[in-house]
Amino acid sequence: MTDDPLRITVLGSATPFPRPGNACSGYLVEGGGARVWVDAGSGTLGELQRHAHLGEIDAIWISHLHADHSADLLTAYYGLLYAGLELALPVPLFGPPGTADRLADFLTNGPERSPVERAFAFEELADGHAATVGGLTLRARAVEHGMPTYALRVEDARGRSLVYSGDCMPCPALVELGRDCDLFVCEADGETPGHHSAAQAGRSAALAGAGRLVVTHVGPGTEPSEVVALAAAEFPGEVRHADPGACFTA
């Protein structure tokens, strides 16, 4: 049993497009001897390499196929196959149904389908999906975002846990997935369809009985300090903002 801390590093938290110094949604989850790239929004591949070589990633996990959560899979494909990296291929990729075809449609430039399966070993997510990567267990629940979308719970062998909402509106499945987790990472894009507001992020974390809350994916024109204050009014524990490059331990 490895005693590595279970931690999540923010590669980016901007929406709906990357900003100077802040990529779109992406996170590096580490623990149990494993590294998992969670969401691959625009700009996150470059930020990922501040913390880990692309060839050191054990798996990729994608919550949904909006571009601000998945666009850098396209450049990762070229990096994995054509950058001369020494790595074991294909890399496990857990994503919503249709992920493989979506990438292939974009990358195909002739009569033959792009060989995306050479780079990625696709496994489609479903409600209740579970997978093991190194010493980590990854569990998914379907959440409400107007398209197939999944939230993620990561647990290590010592029972430490973190939960990531993906993008979704408040829903029972997210609360159930987050039950008694050590760290709850929840988007707070505002009171728009399919999203949490800051106050709702605080309420979801409180209902789940989470230990700490990190608010992320804050919409343009909103100050992170304001979002933290609104979430903290609904959640009794510590609340932080997902600053780019920040690292949080479960």
Side-chain angles (χ1 to χ4, degrees):
M1 178 187 299
T2 178
D3 196 32
D4 294 348
L6 176 60
R7 63 187 183 184
I8 183 169
T9 301
V10 181
L11 306 177
S13 58
T15 177
F17 55 89
R19 314 294 166 78
N22 192 8
C24 284
S25 291
Y27 309 87
L28 175 62
V29 173
E30 299 174 279
R35 293 184 175 98
V36 182
W37 181 10
V38 175
D39 275 353
S42 304
T44 57
L45 177 56
E47 294 304 311
L48 175 70
Q49 293 170 83
R50 296 182 187 275
H51 309 280
H53 191 280
L54 184 57
E56 295 174 331
I57 299 303
D58 298 291
I60 303 168
W61 194 99
I62 301 296
S63 64
H64 65 292
L65 293 177
H66 279 153
D68 60 339
H69 291 256
S70 64
D72 268 19
L73 291 177
L74 301 173
T75 47
Y77 165 83
Y78 288 108
L80 291 169
L81 290 186
Y82 304 118
L85 305 177
E86 294 185 6
L87 45 83
L89 291 176
V91 175
L93 193 162
F94 306 102
T99 300
D101 287 340
R102 178 74 68 87
L103 289 177
D105 286 347
F106 190 94
L107 291 165
T108 296
N109 296 306
E112 295 185 6
R113 181 180 184 276
S114 176
V116 291
E117 287 82 5
R118 285 176 51 202
F120 305 111
F122 294 94
E123 186 170 328
E124 293 190 342
L125 296 174
D127 192 35
H129 178 275
T132 300
V133 179
L136 300 179
T137 301
L138 313 182
R139 302 185 189 280
R141 288 297 309 270
V143 290
E144 298 176 21
H145 187 49
M147 65 183 299
T149 303
Y150 299 88
L152 170 67
R153 184 182 182 109
V154 182
E155 297 179 341
D156 67 10
R158 295 186 180 275
R160 296 171 291 205
S161 59
L162 64 86
V163 167
Y164 167 55
S165 68
D167 279 5
C168 68
M169 62 190 294
C171 55
L174 178 61
V175 172
E176 292 166 10
L177 187 71
R179 186 74 62 200
D180 298 326
C181 68
D182 296 296
L183 184 66
F184 193 92
V185 181
C186 189
E187 61 103 0
D189 195 17
E191 295 183 0
T192 56
H195 290 281
H196 278 72
S197 68
Q200 288 170 336
R203 281 186 223 119
S204 288
L207 288 170
R212 289 173 291 138
L213 170 63
V214 174
V215 287
T216 188
H217 203 57
V218 173
T222 305
E223 289 296 324
S225 58
E226 177 185 350
V227 173
V228 168
L230 290 169
E234 303 290 338
F235 179 68
E238 179 186 16
V239 182
R240 301 276 299 278
H241 175 257
D243 294 334
C247 182
F248 302 95
T249 301

